[in-house]
Amino acid sequence: MNVPFVDLHAQYLTIKPEIDFAIENVIRETAFIGGKYVKSFENAFAEAYGVKNCISVANGTDAIYIALRMLGVEPGDEVITVANSWISTSETISQAGATPVFIDIDPVHYTINPDLIRDKITARTKAIIPVHLHGQMADIIAIQAICEEYGLFLIEDCAQSHFSAFEGKYAGTFGDAATFSFYPGKNLGAYGDAGCILTNNDALAEKCRMYANHGALKKHHHLMEGINSRLDGMQAAILETKLKHIHSWTRKRIDKASLYSKLLEDLPGINLPTVRPETEHSFHIYAIRTNYRDELKEYLAEKGIETAIHYPTALPLLPAYDHLAYKPEDIPVASCYQHELLSLPLYPELTEEQQMYVTDAVKEFMLTNAAK
Ligand SMILES: Cc1ncc(COP(=O)(O)O)c(C=O)c1O
């Protein structure tokens, strides 16, 4: 049996007539850039979150960069973020001219450890970017309190956490701005690159919209220099079609994650994901932890099971950040877990049979090889 890490074609087949219809409309109307499909998706996404403004952009990386710039982050500033994430979270801080300040992760939930943030705040700190990693919400209430206490902007990186929630309130509705990626493999994914910013701040929304469109809200009226970061009509129409299914897909992800946890329960040498209390984890990623990660990954690959690592090197330890001179001891948890985390296949169309096959293989490996 082959179990891919994600199967986007399987998902397409479940909604083929709707998607084909949406794409045909865009082509017939040649609504390729801007236009009604983009507007309509922005409205639908904002409404789904109960947030006033959705500004669509070209991808989730631009979303963070634009939010940082338009909140006024500039050279000389520091922005606090988490040691374990995709590089977009920190490279955008540098792109804005600021310095990323990395905080270790909490050993249980793998998100930024709020207890370590205060010590890193300086007169130059401007903002905090927590990441709701794997679909697990960061300790957003504690982070919000720190931001309020020190007057810092809060930008939630929601690239991996569409419709995750704390006490029923969605990730992305706690900060000054939230940024989303709709990269194809995300819980809500386009058929190409796509992203957006959510904010209740109308002035910030207008600035972001302007900056993403060459500094103009009206054609040829460039009030500043900006960038070209647009969602195209095709992606917007696809996203709006898929948005109608997101809650059912999220439910399936959560159910499949529970099944994994049930099937792997009590297996020695494996740590299963722990959902933060009072939250809904949207399970973009189901990551287990083991000291035998690399051997297990190889064993599963031999069995036709594709896995992934999120992420093999903690951000501050990447060569890209050599100049900041972080040592593994500065981020002991993230630097240890980078060798242990292994993401198992998880997507709404994954079958129970495939899950049994995956968990049988994990058990087989752990009970024979790892027990030696
Ligand atoms: C945590 C996180 N932030 C930001 C991004 C950037 O999104 P994009 O790939 O759409 O630029 C990603 C995407 O992989 C991500 O996982």
Side-chain angles (χ1 to χ4, degrees):
M1 188 187 286
N2 272 322
V3 187
F5 185 65
V6 289
D7 189 344
L8 299 178
H9 191 247
Q11 186 182 68
Y12 166 64
L13 292 180
T14 67
I15 51 168
K16 185 174 183 311
E18 290 169 70
I19 292 283
D20 292 355
F21 179 69
I23 293 175
E24 276 165 24
N25 286 343
V26 175
I27 296 173
R28 192 180 51 251
E29 295 167 34
T30 62
F32 298 129
I33 298 285
K36 74 175 189 195
Y37 294 105
V38 172
K39 197 76 246 146
S40 177
F41 170 67
E42 287 182 341
N43 290 341
F45 199 68
E47 192 181 320
Y49 272 85
V51 167
K52 279 162 76 185
N53 305 284
C54 170
I55 302 97
S56 60
V57 295
N59 55 66
T61 309
D62 280 1
I64 307 171
Y65 172 67
I66 293 166
L68 282 166
R69 286 291 313 271
M70 294 303 102
L71 282 168
V73 170
E74 57 189 13
D77 289 342
E78 292 173 356
V79 176
I80 288 176
T81 193
V82 63
N84 185 32
S85 183
W86 174 243
I87 193 167
S88 302
T89 314
S90 51
E91 72 183 347
T92 46
I93 297 170
S94 309
Q95 281 163 14
T99 304
V101 175
F102 293 105
I103 304 286
D104 204 2
I105 55 172
D106 133 26
V108 178
H109 305 106
Y110 315 156
T111 51
I112 190 168
N113 187 338
D115 296 340
L116 306 176
I117 294 180
R118 279 187 173 79
D119 278 354
K120 299 287 178 186
I121 294 176
T122 71
R124 287 182 294 171
T125 310
K126 203 63 164 283
I128 303 182
I129 308 181
V131 179
H132 304 298
L133 194 80
H134 300 173
Q136 170 95 278
M137 282 199 64
D139 189 350
I140 197 68
I141 301 301
I143 299 162
Q144 217 179 18
I146 295 170
C147 287
E148 272 166 27
E149 186 182 335
Y150 290 88
L152 306 175
F153 293 121
L154 172 55
I155 303 171
E156 298 176 76
D157 182 343
C158 299
Q160 302 188 9
S161 60
H162 306 81
F163 299 98
S164 300
F166 170 75
E167 290 184 340
K169 187 169 154 54
Y170 291 135
T173 61
F174 292 83
D176 296 284
T179 61
F180 289 78
S181 166
F182 304 118
Y183 180 83
K186 300 297 193 212
N187 287 18
L188 180 63
Y191 288 0
D193 276 314
C196 82
I197 302 162
L198 287 185
T199 179
N200 277 319
N201 179 334
D202 293 339
L204 175 65
E206 186 167 282
K207 277 197 216 164
C208 290
R209 196 175 286 291
M210 198 187 296
Y211 188 68
N213 187 32
H214 300 290
L217 285 174
K218 236 167 69 189
K219 200 158 187 175
H220 302 308
H221 285 258
H222 304 278
L223 300 182
M224 60 178 168
E225 284 186 331
I227 59 173
N228 176 3
S229 183
R230 297 183 291 228
L231 178 70
D232 65 72
M234 195 89 81
Q235 302 311 335
I238 290 165
L239 285 168
E240 191 170 351
T241 304
K242 292 180 76 174
L243 182 61
K244 299 186 177 94
H245 300 274
I246 189 68
H247 294 303
S248 120
W249 288 336
T250 305
R251 187 73 256 153
K252 286 183 182 165
R253 285 178 178 276
I254 294 168
D255 291 346
K256 283 166 206 304
S258 305
L259 181 61
Y260 267 145
S261 292
K262 197 168 131 219
L263 294 170
L264 293 172
E265 195 175 45
D266 300 331
L267 184 64
I270 294 274
N271 281 285
L272 303 175
T274 308
V275 177
R276 187 184 297 287
E278 314 303 330
T279 68
E280 183 141 296
H281 188 315
S282 60
F283 280 101
H284 174 53
I285 298 290
Y286 183 93
I288 59 173
R289 262 191 325 108
T290 172
N291 289 331
Y292 302 91
R293 194 267 309 277
D294 293 338
E295 298 91 321
L296 175 59
K297 186 172 183 13
E298 206 177 302
Y299 182 79
L300 295 177
E302 280 162 19
K303 296 250 165 190
I305 300 165
E306 197 184 352
T307 56
I309 299 174
H310 299 94
Y311 292 93
T313 308
L315 290 174
L317 304 182
L318 286 168
Y321 295 109
D322 278 354
H323 60 288
L324 298 177
Y326 279 82
K327 299 178 293 304
E329 311 85 88
D330 299 326
I331 44 155
V333 183
S335 62
C336 170
Y337 286 11
Q338 69 184 7
H339 303 294
E340 298 184 356
L341 284 165
L342 182 67
S343 308
L344 300 183
L346 181 64
Y347 47 92
E349 300 74 25
L350 185 71
T351 66
E352 192 168 326
E353 194 192 357
Q354 287 175 309
Q355 285 196 273
M356 303 275 289
Y357 181 70
V358 172
T359 51
D360 283 349
V362 172
K363 284 183 208 165
E364 232 165 65
F365 174 85
M366 292 307 290
L367 294 175
T368 51
N369 301 42
K372 277 182 204 159

